[in-house]
Amino acid sequence: MLELVEKLYSTGDLSDGELAALIETDDKEATELLKEYADKTRQKSYGKKVFLRGLIEVSSYCKNNCLYCGIRRGNTEADRYRLSREDILKCCENGYELGFRTFVMQGGEDAFFTDEFLCPLISEIKAKYPDCAVTLSLGERSYESYKRLKEAGADRYLLRHEAAAQELYSKLHPEEMSLQNRKDCLFALRELGYQVGAGFMVGAPCQTTEHIIADLRFLQELQPQMIGIGPFVPHHKTPFADEKGGTLELTLRLLGILRLMFPKVLLPATTALGTIAPNGRELGLQTGCNVVMPNLSPVMVRKKYDLYDNKICTGEEAAECRGCLERRIESAGYEIAQERGDCIK
Ligand code: 5AD
Ligand code: FES
């Protein structure tokens, strides 16, 4: 197993069979070596820097019905909200003072967020904070829409592909959703000049090692600037309420593998990882991650952006995440970089 880690470290790739063996291993030494090489690789690319992304959860309305997600339209008990232009600008103001230089507007697929609403807002944020990046994470939209949002000033777009294998994608999504469309969106975003983020959940119901390998191969084809992965965490008001969640061990192993396969990618230690283990994000940072995404949403709505159970960072104090993360990042041996944090070439 150690040879596989050595090979992945020196060549950046493995065969499907070798990847499967590494994904499934419980060899402690190999796991330790993977962590060491992942950290070495991230330090070669980014030193000890950790980039912050202020996450603004703009809407909990969603027209989709993904089986895993707490804000799926079928969850009639979900508390719905959407932020106004003023709310969003206030979050940016607050975030800028806290030192964030990237604002991520993330939400369900909410028809209220038209191009007519978003374009002037994006331009306004870019004009007010020219040293900041604006990232959108608003799901599948038309090519034309992505184009207009880019022209209005959006820099980046996060759209997890969720599952690159058709078989798994179909088990996680209702029939009306299309994996091909999702992939087309990602390639369109890339073509339009966005810095693109894709990704998937670890330990989703029915996910096999082969499915994960399909995800890794898709990521190799797409070559995104960012890769977001986190454990699947069941939500009690979804069809997957009684399913098992993804594990810390497998998520960390995949983070390490991703870092070695994509030495320069931006890799967040996700909120979901911090949800399944108190020190999950710190361990993520020590296994190749170089981004954290503190919650910048107004305190009033935080509990309503309820993707999965027991989500952390829904506390009462708006600035809490910033201070909390600073301590966590430093305790893990890294330092916050007060900059946009673009992907290095
Ligand atoms: N557990 C973990 N992650 C989830 N997401 C949605 N629902 C869950 C869940 N139950 C992730 C999806 C989505 C991102 C915003 O949150 O991968 O792309
Ligand atoms: Fe949000 Fe710690 S990072 S409360």
Side-chain angles (χ1 to χ4, degrees):
M1 205 49 66
L2 291 177
E3 319 83 68
L4 291 186
V5 180
E6 295 286 352
K7 181 174 173 195
L8 181 58
Y9 177 59
S10 56
T11 68
D13 205 0
L14 291 176
S15 71
D16 285 3
E18 291 169 332
L19 272 176
L22 189 57
I23 291 169
E24 289 175 0
T25 189
D26 53 9
D27 183 318
K28 289 239 163 55
E29 267 179 88
T31 304
E32 216 24 66
L33 189 65
L34 180 63
K35 182 176 178 182
E36 187 188 316
Y37 282 163
D39 189 52
K40 224 176 180 171
T41 304
R42 75 87 90 197
Q43 296 219 32
K44 221 182 285 162
S45 303
Y46 291 98
K48 291 195 175 290
K49 283 184 191 174
V50 176
F51 303 117
L52 299 178
R53 317 298 196 202
L55 184 65
I56 310 171
E57 297 156 333
V58 297
S59 176
S60 69
Y61 285 90
C62 191
K63 74 169 174 61
N64 289 335
N65 214 16
C66 307
L67 277 79
Y68 45 85
C69 184
I71 64 167
R72 66 201 302 270
R73 73 161 186 271
N75 180 7
T76 52
E77 282 168 58
D79 231 328
R80 308 286 174 174
Y81 74 91
R82 67 170 64 90
L83 299 185
S84 66
R85 168 182 168 277
E86 291 72 24
D87 294 332
I88 295 169
L89 288 169
K90 191 83 203 140
C91 289
C92 295
E93 195 183 316
N94 183 11
Y96 193 84
E97 275 168 33
L98 290 169
F100 300 147
R101 296 297 177 263
T102 293
F103 304 119
V104 183
M105 287 194 251
Q106 180 175 92
E109 290 193 15
D110 179 356
F112 179 86
F113 286 86
T114 58
D115 298 346
E116 290 66 34
F117 175 88
L118 289 166
C119 289
L121 176 58
I122 293 165
S123 302
E124 189 171 348
I125 296 171
K126 290 293 290 188
K128 277 199 173 128
Y129 310 104
D131 53 337
C132 292
V134 169
T135 303
L136 303 176
S137 181
L138 300 168
E140 297 175 24
R141 303 174 73 94
S142 69
Y143 184 89
E144 276 310 307
S145 172
Y146 288 148
K147 186 158 184 275
R148 283 189 216 112
L149 300 174
K150 183 80 183 56
E151 284 161 2
D155 301 282
R156 310 184 182 135
Y157 205 102
L158 308 182
L159 182 72
R160 288 191 180 175
H161 64 278
E162 309 294 0
Q166 182 63 54
E167 182 190 43
L168 180 61
Y169 187 90
S170 304
K171 289 187 168 142
L172 302 181
H173 301 92
E175 231 174 282
E176 78 244 18
M177 288 178 73
S178 145
L179 173 59
Q180 191 55 51
N181 191 56
R182 205 153 184 96
K183 290 182 174 174
D184 290 347
C185 284
L186 282 162
F187 285 105
L189 289 162
R190 196 183 66 174
E191 183 203 312
L192 285 165
Y194 283 93
Q195 296 169 42
V196 172
F200 59 94
M201 292 180 295
V202 177
C206 305
Q207 186 184 54
T208 64
T209 301
E210 284 61 45
H211 295 144
I212 294 173
I213 293 170
D215 288 319
L216 299 177
R217 297 298 178 216
F218 173 70
L219 291 167
Q220 283 179 320
E221 184 191 340
L222 180 68
Q223 289 294 328
Q225 282 83 6
M226 291 166 276
I227 300 176
I229 68 162
F232 161 69
V233 184
H235 184 288
H236 64 287
K237 287 289 173 194
T238 63
F240 292 159
D242 298 324
E243 299 288 338
K244 278 208 290 288
T247 64
L248 177 68
E249 291 67 31
L250 183 56
T251 308
L252 291 173
R253 172 129 2 103
L254 285 169
L255 286 168
I257 291 173
L258 284 169
R259 173 53 71 206
L260 298 187
M261 290 177 84
F262 303 92
K264 294 184 177 162
V265 83
L266 292 158
L267 196 59
T270 55
T271 305
L273 186 58
T275 295
I276 62 162
N279 60 342
R281 286 170 299 175
E282 290 88 323
L283 292 169
L285 291 173
Q286 291 167 339
T287 316
C289 291
N290 62 339
V291 172
V292 283
M293 301 180 67
N295 197 333
L296 243 193
S297 308
V299 170
M300 292 271 296
V301 306
R302 287 189 186 186
K303 290 204 190 331
K304 302 182 187 177
Y305 197 73
D306 184 27
L307 305 182
Y308 46 82
D309 289 344
N310 306 315
K311 185 167 163 246
I312 54 167
C313 303
T314 58
E316 300 305 317
E317 186 58 53
E320 186 176 52
C321 286
R322 173 62 216 253
C324 169
L325 276 173
E326 193 162 320
R327 286 191 300 279
R328 288 171 185 274
I329 290 166
E330 281 167 12
S331 79
Y334 301 92
E335 59 202 38
I336 289 180
Q338 187 160 316
E339 49 184 284
R340 277 170 54 120
D342 290 301
C343 191
I344 53 176
K345 290 268 153 48

